[in-house]
Amino acid sequence: MKKKILPAVITCLCVLALAALAESPGLPVNINRIQVLPGTLAAKLVLETDGPLAAPKAYYLPGSPQTLVLDLNRAKTSEAPLVPSSEAMFIRDIQVQKAGAQDLRFLVRLNERVPVRIRTDSGRTVVEFAKIQRGGGNYVIDAETQSQLDRRPKGEIFLDKLDYSQAADRVSFRAQLTDQAVAQVFALENPSRLVIDLYDTVLTAKADVWTVAQPQVSVEKARVGQFQQSNPRPITRLVFDLKEPGVYSLDSDKSGLTVSF
């Protein structure tokens, strides 16, 4: 009888051990390096990690609308982020606080509220702040954008359609493209706008305007048009009128580009 009971007990203990392991939160991801990269059109907060971070939660603090909060689950760091002098007029300071046993909270204090997007892969998370472009002057191409254009084979891309969809707390715009386009993002004011230029892209769909009747999201209107025919390349422009700058996402692939708010 005892011989029959022992295997059953061992099996039960193994099942309980596996269940406990599955429920364990695991070790936190270590942020090895934190740096702020300056830019003409955007400043970037870059977190280099030894593993994939869970999708950060980002939002502007209601009581301090120029402070971006970045909540990271299961993360730790001993790094103290430094703001380079070239960005001191844009980013006031960055503080890192513990938020629970294994969580971190970044407080990024800006001199003005701007659109923000976050990109995460296995060992790198980038928080990109789109700077507001003011004054006249020549059209500016960021150094990173120019590098992408220099590597891209010559040839036109066609934007055949722009789809619009909405959910309870999100709206998305999907540009259907014949190839992956190089995109440059910047912000304008009066009114607040997010601008996305698609290079080497010809608009074959009809130029159009969409009004967004969604109180929970930050965008209220979107439009698409041909900004530049040539000289030296065609540019299709997407413009999003914002109620106020907030967090957005931009995903690009071979068949198109999706912008969500």
Side-chain angles (χ1 to χ4, degrees), residues 29 39 59-60 83 100 113 119 121 142 150 176 190 199 215 222:
V29 174
Y59 54 94
Y60 277 104
V83 178
R113 182 167 172 164
R119 293 173 285 161
D121 57 30
D142 185 76
D150 292 341
Q176 302 290 343
N190 300 323
Y199 290 91

Side-chain angles (χ1 to χ4, degrees), residues 3 5 18 27 31 65 71-72 93 106 116 126 141 166 168 199 208 215-216 235 243 247 255:
K3 291 182 179 179
I5 293 175
L18 290 172
L27 296 174
I31 303 174
D71 285 333
L72 302 175
D93 64 79
F106 282 68
V116 180
V126 180
I141 298 181
Q166 64 180 29
Y199 290 91
D208 211 343
Q216 294 92 343
I235 299 174
K243 300 169 189 173
V247 180
S255 62

Side-chain angles (χ1 to χ4, degrees), residues 6-22:
L6 186 58
V9 171
I10 294 173
T11 300
C12 182
L13 290 174
C14 290
V15 170
L16 291 174
L18 290 172
L21 185 61

Side-chain angles (χ1 to χ4, degrees), residues 17-223:
L18 290 172
L21 185 61
E23 292 176 1
S24 174
L27 296 174
V29 174
N30 189 52
I31 303 174
N32 301 312
R33 187 180 184 192
I34 305 173
Q35 57 181 332
V36 175
L37 302 181
T40 305
L41 301 180
K44 297 174 184 177
L45 172 64
V46 181
L47 312 178
E48 296 181 5
T49 63
D50 61 3
L53 282 172
K57 181 182 178 183
Y59 54 94
Y60 277 104
L61 203 60
S64 178
Q66 293 173 196
T67 299
L68 182 82
V69 179
L70 187 70
D71 285 333
L72 302 175
N73 295 330
R74 294 201 312 107
K76 66 177 183 177
T77 186
S78 58
E79 280 281 299
L82 298 176
V83 178
S85 58
S86 58
E87 292 296 348
M89 295 299 292
F90 178 66
I91 300 175
R92 290 164 53 194
D93 64 79
I94 302 173
Q95 293 184 1
V96 183
Q97 303 174 347
K98 283 192 174 182
Q102 293 188 326
D103 302 335
L104 290 178
R105 169 167 289 177
F106 282 68
L107 298 174
V108 185
R109 294 183 176 90
L110 306 172
N111 282 316
E112 59 186 354
R113 182 167 172 164
V114 298
V116 180
R117 70 166 168 151
I118 301 171
R119 293 173 285 161
T120 300
D121 57 30
S122 60
R124 184 179 169 95
T125 295
V126 180
V127 184
E128 183 174 296
F129 300 89
K131 293 182 178 179
I132 299 172
Q133 302 302 299
R134 296 182 172 94
N138 297 326
Y139 183 84
V140 176
I141 298 181
D142 185 76
E144 182 178 338
T145 302
Q146 187 62 59
S147 176
Q148 294 178 47
L149 290 172
D150 292 341
R151 297 194 304 269
R152 185 188 177 276
K154 292 185 180 296
E156 291 184 342
I157 300 167
F158 299 99
L159 196 163
D160 301 323
K161 187 179 181 183
L162 187 66
D163 293 320
Y164 164 59
S165 62
Q166 64 180 29
D169 61 347
R170 173 180 293 260
V171 294
S172 297
F173 297 85
R174 173 72 177 175
Q176 302 290 343
L177 301 171
T178 55
D179 200 353
Q180 189 165 10
V182 174
Q184 177 166 274
V185 180
F186 57 94
L188 296 173
E189 61 179 355
N190 300 323
S192 177
R193 285 157 287 166
L194 179 73
V195 180
I196 302 175
D197 282 346
L198 302 177
Y199 290 91
D200 298 318
T201 303
V202 176
L203 181 65
T204 54
K206 186 181 92 169
D208 211 343
V209 179
W210 293 261
T211 300
V212 180
Q214 191 81 333
Q216 294 92 343
V217 299
S218 61
V219 63
E220 59 184 2
K221 186 181 291 185
R223 55 190 182 274

